[in-house]
Amino acid sequence: MSLVFLKLGGSAITDKTRQATAKPDVIRDAARAIFSAREHFAGEMKNPELKILLGHGSGSFGHFTAKKFGYGEKENWRAYAETGASAQRLNRLVTDIFLEENVPVVSIQPSASARTRDGELYAFDSTNIQTALGHELVPLIYGDVAFDDTRGMAIASTDALFAYLAPILKPSRIIYTTAVNGIYTADPNKNPDAQLIREITPQSFEQIRAHVGEAHGVDVTGGMLDKLERSVRLVETFPRLDIFVIAAQGAQITSALASFPNGTHIHS
Ligand code: IPE
């Protein structure tokens, strides 16, 4: 069995500048690529058991609502409720588009079982994900709110959920799709000298960390650096794991599911 975790980044599937605005075409393009990959593998008998755990970010849904309601403030439970609902609204859209494209996704609400302590995810029920995978369904999770033992509330990002599930489900690869086609030395939208980093290993990471940390804007920094740190830790622990950061485009997703895509390859 070959299991792949695939994330549709919030910055790719929503318009980050407009509140609660999805990009249905980007979502549909991804859904079609995933549909074909599952068909193709089955048809050619290359890998009839390609299994996919799908995840997506929150972009201008959860992030906007969190800001608007003051998410994280002590006892601000209204913010907890509103942010969770907003994340779910995007999930409803993603679910429906994938079903229209004949990908049998099953949405699983992370906050129903996720728990964090000091912001770190320490519990999340994986049994229904495993059962869904066993039935050739495509379980679908997303960045969500979480009750936190010390802070009251925190965010369970898709990246954190993937990192938590990796030791349990042992994927052979993790694919992150983003608004740009990989990890750059600086924010490519703002800096014309930004260069795509093709490969990152635990050895090269220390040097790269300084670049990525310095160069990216406030919003991107947490996201990219956090993703990178988690990814490097994962490939250190699981040397056979391949992690790719690619553009959220059908053609790129197709090649990432089958071989080696363009973008950034993180490996041991
Ligand atoms: C964020 O999740 C979740 C909320 C703000 C509720 P992610 O970290 O997975 O989402 P993106 O990719 O940054 O949008």
Side-chain angles (χ1 to χ4, degrees), residues 7 9-11 56-59 62-63 83 87 143-145 155 157-159:
K7 179 189 176 189
S11 61
H56 69 77
S58 221
H63 287 290
T83 305
D144 200 358
V145 296
I155 294 290
S157 69
T158 313
D159 299 12

Side-chain angles (χ1 to χ4, degrees), residues 2-8 51-53 55 158-167 169-177 227 230-235 238 240-246 256-257 259 261 264-267:
S2 166
L3 173 65
V4 177
F5 290 1
L6 193 152
K7 179 189 176 189
L8 306 176
K51 292 188 185 292
I52 299 171
L53 166 67
T158 313
D159 299 12
L161 293 165
F162 276 3
Y164 179 86
L165 291 172
L169 302 178
K170 301 192 170 53
S172 58
R173 54 179 68 184
I174 299 178
I175 303 165
Y176 290 106
T177 71
K227 187 190 301 303
R230 284 182 196 282
S231 297
V232 169
R233 248 181 277 142
L234 278 176
V235 298
F238 303 101
R240 294 214 305 266
L241 175 67
D242 288 300
I243 301 180
F244 296 98
V245 183
I246 61 165
L257 286 170
S259 56
T264 302
H265 182 194
I266 305 162
H267 61 91

